[in-house]
Amino acid sequence: MGKKIFSGVQPTGNLHLGNYLGAIKNFVALNNDKENQCVFCVVDLHAITVKQDPRELRNNIRKIVAIFVASGIDPKKSIIFKQSTVPAHAEFAWILSCIARMGWLNRMTQFKEKAGKDKEKASVGLYSYPILMAADILLYEASHVPVGEDQKQHLELCRDIAQKFNNDFEVENFLKNPEPLILKEFSRIMSLKDGTKKMSKSEPSDLSRINLTDDKDSIINKIKKAKTDSLPLPSNSRDLEQRPEAKNLLGIYSSLNNSTLDKTIQTFEGKNFSEFKEKLTQVLVEKIDPISKEIKKLMNEKDFLDKIIEEGHEKADNIASKKVKKIHEIIGF
Ligand code: TYM
């Protein structure tokens, strides 16, 4: 039997190679399996947990849709929609915030990272963010949620919340327990400037990431400037443990080639970085440049993108509002 897939991406800034290799590439594979029912959400309610410029936000929402389509997600086969158009998300998030416990949220490492030193100044939304994420997933009865490694803890919280709701209201299996789908290798792509830090939209230096909208010349330049070490490439994965930059770049190469880290290590054993970087640039340009061109083309087709959002809204709202109706009955509203 096919899987019920749900995942979301925030419309904040540029999507990068980490988003692509950790999540979107997997969305495309799941979309291509005829048995699966996939729902992909542009999570604009999540985006406003930090301040957004309204004009930029509007543009970024369309950009995520363009990225989904340019990467190979078929809007006829999968539902692509905008979170804020389906009111059930915000409503169910409120209900679940009465189920989730403060102690559970206090453990979330992403909040600690994002709030930084001055937690008192973080928005309440940033704190309760994972509850909204749980609402997203549970409304669609997702069996599997494809995400990068950084979302693993949020998925575990989602399962705890579902369990407590079902127990509290004695409705066994009403909220379905989702499984995270995290790629075994390459589920955490690191910065090109520091192999110990995650590749991220919020990192100030653009040289730290490959954006999906980067053209050929920027890709060439960024790989040229990517941090390395002074040793030749190793012959086994054990020797990579102390070499985060080498490990990351070899991982990126493997993932783009749909290969394994071990095979890539065999190919480049004993070679120096300049030779490897040439090959890495080649495969990056080959895979990312066509997507980048397609994104730019689609961004000029606003009506086409808006139509996808509109059609997705209808289908998503239909599923979510039915679930909310049952939730009202269970709670006693
Ligand atoms: P977001 O928008 O930050 O990231 C989108 C997806 O990209 C993955 N990702 C990475 N994977 C590998 N290496 C990296 N360096 C890297 N950076 C980001 C993320 O893990 C994610 O899968 N909370 C989510 C959005 C969300 C969601 C949901 C996801 C909202 N509701 C329901 C799944 C289900 C987020 O902020 O993703």
Short mmCIF file of all heavy atoms in Angstrom, two decimals, residues 220-251:
data_model
loop_
_atom_site.label_atom_id
_atom_site.label_comp_id
_atom_site.label_asym_id
_atom_site.label_seq_id
_atom_site.Cartn_x
_atom_site.Cartn_y
_atom_site.Cartn_z
N ILE A 220 30.28 27.84 -9.49
CA ILE A 220 31.73 27.64 -9.70
C ILE A 220 32.52 28.41 -8.64
O ILE A 220 33.42 27.87 -7.99
CB ILE A 220 32.14 28.11 -11.13
CG1 ILE A 220 31.50 27.18 -12.17
CG2 ILE A 220 33.66 28.15 -11.28
CD1 ILE A 220 31.64 27.66 -13.61
N ASN A 221 32.14 29.66 -8.43
CA ASN A 221 32.84 30.51 -7.48
C ASN A 221 32.73 30.00 -6.05
O ASN A 221 33.71 29.96 -5.30
CB ASN A 221 32.26 31.94 -7.59
CG ASN A 221 32.98 32.90 -6.69
OD1 ASN A 221 34.20 32.86 -6.59
ND2 ASN A 221 32.21 33.76 -6.02
N LYS A 222 31.52 29.55 -5.67
CA LYS A 222 31.32 29.11 -4.29
C LYS A 222 32.09 27.83 -3.99
O LYS A 222 32.61 27.66 -2.88
CB LYS A 222 29.83 28.93 -4.01
CG LYS A 222 29.10 30.26 -3.82
CD LYS A 222 27.63 30.06 -3.63
CE LYS A 222 26.93 31.39 -3.43
NZ LYS A 222 25.49 31.24 -3.24
N ILE A 223 32.16 26.93 -4.96
CA ILE A 223 32.91 25.68 -4.72
C ILE A 223 34.41 25.99 -4.69
O ILE A 223 35.14 25.45 -3.86
CB ILE A 223 32.56 24.61 -5.77
CG1 ILE A 223 31.10 24.19 -5.61
CG2 ILE A 223 33.47 23.39 -5.65
CD1 ILE A 223 30.72 23.65 -4.23
N LYS A 224 34.84 26.90 -5.53
CA LYS A 224 36.24 27.30 -5.51
C LYS A 224 36.62 27.82 -4.12
O LYS A 224 37.67 27.51 -3.58
CB LYS A 224 36.49 28.38 -6.57
CG LYS A 224 37.95 28.49 -6.99
CD LYS A 224 38.20 29.68 -7.89
CE LYS A 224 38.01 29.33 -9.35
NZ LYS A 224 37.96 30.57 -10.18
N LYS A 225 35.72 28.61 -3.53
CA LYS A 225 36.02 29.23 -2.23
C LYS A 225 35.65 28.35 -1.03
O LYS A 225 35.90 28.73 0.12
CB LYS A 225 35.26 30.56 -2.12
CG LYS A 225 35.68 31.57 -3.18
CD LYS A 225 35.61 32.99 -2.65
CE LYS A 225 36.35 33.95 -3.55
NZ LYS A 225 35.44 34.88 -4.23
N ALA A 226 35.03 27.19 -1.28
CA ALA A 226 34.59 26.34 -0.16
C ALA A 226 35.80 25.91 0.67
O ALA A 226 36.86 25.60 0.12
CB ALA A 226 33.85 25.12 -0.69
N LYS A 227 35.60 25.89 1.99
CA LYS A 227 36.70 25.53 2.90
C LYS A 227 37.11 24.06 2.73
O LYS A 227 36.24 23.20 2.56
CB LYS A 227 36.25 25.78 4.34
CG LYS A 227 37.35 25.64 5.35
CD LYS A 227 36.88 26.00 6.76
CE LYS A 227 37.95 25.63 7.76
NZ LYS A 227 37.44 25.58 9.14
N THR A 228 38.40 23.81 2.77
CA THR A 228 38.90 22.42 2.74
C THR A 228 40.00 22.29 3.78
O THR A 228 40.20 23.21 4.58
CB THR A 228 39.51 22.07 1.36
OG1 THR A 228 40.53 23.03 1.07
CG2 THR A 228 38.47 22.09 0.27
N ASP A 229 40.71 21.16 3.79
CA ASP A 229 41.90 21.06 4.62
C ASP A 229 43.08 20.74 3.71
O ASP A 229 42.91 20.70 2.49
CB ASP A 229 41.70 20.01 5.73
CG ASP A 229 41.28 18.68 5.17
OD1 ASP A 229 41.89 18.24 4.16
OD2 ASP A 229 40.36 18.04 5.72
N SER A 230 44.24 20.49 4.30
CA SER A 230 45.43 20.40 3.44
C SER A 230 45.80 18.96 3.07
O SER A 230 46.76 18.73 2.33
CB SER A 230 46.61 21.07 4.15
OG SER A 230 46.72 20.51 5.43
N LEU A 231 45.03 17.98 3.54
CA LEU A 231 45.39 16.58 3.26
C LEU A 231 44.76 16.09 1.96
O LEU A 231 43.74 16.63 1.54
CB LEU A 231 44.89 15.69 4.42
CG LEU A 231 45.45 16.00 5.80
CD1 LEU A 231 44.71 15.20 6.86
CD2 LEU A 231 46.93 15.69 5.83
N PRO A 232 45.34 15.07 1.35
CA PRO A 232 44.64 14.44 0.21
C PRO A 232 43.39 13.71 0.70
O PRO A 232 43.24 13.47 1.90
CB PRO A 232 45.67 13.44 -0.33
CG PRO A 232 46.76 13.34 0.67
CD PRO A 232 46.63 14.44 1.66
N LEU A 233 42.50 13.34 -0.20
CA LEU A 233 41.24 12.70 0.21
C LEU A 233 41.51 11.28 0.72
O LEU A 233 42.39 10.59 0.20
CB LEU A 233 40.25 12.72 -0.95
CG LEU A 233 39.75 14.15 -1.19
CD1 LEU A 233 39.13 14.31 -2.57
CD2 LEU A 233 38.76 14.57 -0.11
N PRO A 234 40.78 10.87 1.74
CA PRO A 234 41.10 9.62 2.45
C PRO A 234 40.62 8.37 1.73
O PRO A 234 39.89 8.46 0.74
CB PRO A 234 40.33 9.78 3.76
CG PRO A 234 39.14 10.56 3.39
CD PRO A 234 39.59 11.51 2.31
N SER A 235 41.00 7.22 2.28
CA SER A 235 40.61 5.96 1.65
C SER A 235 39.46 5.27 2.37
O SER A 235 38.95 4.26 1.93
CB SER A 235 41.82 5.02 1.62
OG SER A 235 42.25 4.80 2.96
N ASN A 236 39.06 5.82 3.53
CA ASN A 236 37.91 5.22 4.23
C ASN A 236 37.17 6.27 5.06
O ASN A 236 37.73 7.33 5.38
CB ASN A 236 38.37 4.05 5.12
CG ASN A 236 39.31 4.52 6.19
OD1 ASN A 236 38.90 5.23 7.12
ND2 ASN A 236 40.57 4.16 6.07
N SER A 237 35.92 5.94 5.42
CA SER A 237 35.06 6.95 6.06
C SER A 237 35.50 7.27 7.49
O SER A 237 35.20 8.34 7.99
CB SER A 237 33.60 6.51 6.02
OG SER A 237 33.46 5.29 6.69
N ARG A 238 36.24 6.34 8.11
CA ARG A 238 36.72 6.62 9.47
C ARG A 238 37.62 7.86 9.49
O ARG A 238 37.55 8.69 10.39
CB ARG A 238 37.50 5.42 10.01
CG ARG A 238 36.87 4.74 11.21
CD ARG A 238 37.63 3.49 11.60
NE ARG A 238 37.75 2.55 10.48
CZ ARG A 238 38.90 2.20 9.90
NH1 ARG A 238 40.05 2.69 10.32
NH2 ARG A 238 38.92 1.35 8.88
N ASP A 239 38.45 7.97 8.46
CA ASP A 239 39.39 9.09 8.40
C ASP A 239 38.70 10.42 8.12
O ASP A 239 39.33 11.48 8.12
CB ASP A 239 40.45 8.85 7.31
CG ASP A 239 41.38 7.72 7.70
OD1 ASP A 239 41.31 7.28 8.87
OD2 ASP A 239 42.16 7.28 6.84
N LEU A 240 37.39 10.37 7.86
CA LEU A 240 36.66 11.63 7.61
C LEU A 240 36.14 12.26 8.89
O LEU A 240 35.75 13.42 8.91
CB LEU A 240 35.47 11.37 6.68
CG LEU A 240 35.76 11.28 5.19
CD1 LEU A 240 34.48 10.97 4.44
CD2 LEU A 240 36.38 12.58 4.68
N GLU A 241 36.11 11.48 9.97
CA GLU A 241 35.47 11.96 11.20
C GLU A 241 36.09 13.26 11.72
O GLU A 241 35.39 14.12 12.23
CB GLU A 241 35.49 10.88 12.29
CG GLU A 241 34.52 9.73 12.02
CD GLU A 241 33.14 10.18 11.51
OE1 GLU A 241 32.57 11.13 12.10
OE2 GLU A 241 32.65 9.62 10.51
N GLN A 242 37.40 13.42 11.55
CA GLN A 242 38.05 14.65 12.02
C GLN A 242 38.14 15.70 10.91
O GLN A 242 38.82 16.71 11.07
CB GLN A 242 39.47 14.35 12.54
CG GLN A 242 39.55 13.30 13.63
CD GLN A 242 38.65 13.63 14.80
OE1 GLN A 242 38.55 14.78 15.22
NE2 GLN A 242 37.95 12.63 15.34
N ARG A 243 37.48 15.43 9.77
CA ARG A 243 37.62 16.33 8.62
C ARG A 243 36.23 16.73 8.10
O ARG A 243 35.79 16.28 7.04
CB ARG A 243 38.43 15.64 7.52
CG ARG A 243 39.81 15.19 7.99
CD ARG A 243 40.55 14.43 6.92
NE ARG A 243 40.82 15.27 5.75
CZ ARG A 243 41.33 14.80 4.60
NH1 ARG A 243 41.59 13.52 4.47
NH2 ARG A 243 41.53 15.62 3.60
N PRO A 244 35.54 17.60 8.86
CA PRO A 244 34.13 17.89 8.55
C PRO A 244 33.89 18.46 7.16
O PRO A 244 32.91 18.12 6.51
CB PRO A 244 33.72 18.91 9.63
CG PRO A 244 34.99 19.43 10.22
CD PRO A 244 36.01 18.33 10.05
N GLU A 245 34.83 19.29 6.66
CA GLU A 245 34.61 19.91 5.34
C GLU A 245 34.72 18.84 4.24
O GLU A 245 33.90 18.80 3.33
CB GLU A 245 35.61 21.04 5.07
CG GLU A 245 35.28 22.32 5.83
CD GLU A 245 35.74 22.31 7.28
OE1 GLU A 245 36.63 21.49 7.62
OE2 GLU A 245 35.22 23.11 8.09
N ALA A 246 35.74 17.98 4.37
CA ALA A 246 35.91 16.92 3.37
C ALA A 246 34.68 16.00 3.38
O ALA A 246 34.15 15.63 2.33
CB ALA A 246 37.17 16.12 3.67
N LYS A 247 34.22 15.68 4.57
CA LYS A 247 33.07 14.78 4.70
C LYS A 247 31.83 15.39 4.04
O LYS A 247 31.10 14.73 3.29
CB LYS A 247 32.80 14.52 6.18
CG LYS A 247 31.72 13.50 6.39
CD LYS A 247 31.54 13.19 7.85
CE LYS A 247 30.38 12.21 8.01
NZ LYS A 247 30.02 12.03 9.40
N ASN A 248 31.63 16.68 4.29
CA ASN A 248 30.45 17.35 3.74
C ASN A 248 30.49 17.40 2.21
O ASN A 248 29.52 17.06 1.53
CB ASN A 248 30.37 18.77 4.32
CG ASN A 248 29.09 19.49 3.95
OD1 ASN A 248 28.02 18.89 3.97
ND2 ASN A 248 29.21 20.76 3.61
N LEU A 249 31.64 17.80 1.66
CA LEU A 249 31.74 17.93 0.20
C LEU A 249 31.61 16.56 -0.49
O LEU A 249 30.93 16.44 -1.52
CB LEU A 249 33.06 18.61 -0.20
CG LEU A 249 33.21 20.08 0.25
CD1 LEU A 249 34.56 20.63 -0.18
CD2 LEU A 249 32.10 20.96 -0.33
N LEU A 250 32.22 15.54 0.11
CA LEU A 250 32.08 14.20 -0.47
C LEU A 250 30.63 13.72 -0.37
O LEU A 250 30.11 13.05 -1.27
CB LEU A 250 33.01 13.21 0.24
CG LEU A 250 34.52 13.37 -0.06
CD1 LEU A 250 35.37 12.62 0.96
CD2 LEU A 250 34.85 12.89 -1.47
N GLY A 251 29.97 14.11 0.72
CA GLY A 251 28.55 13.75 0.91
C GLY A 251 27.67 14.42 -0.14
O GLY A 251 26.79 13.79 -0.73
#
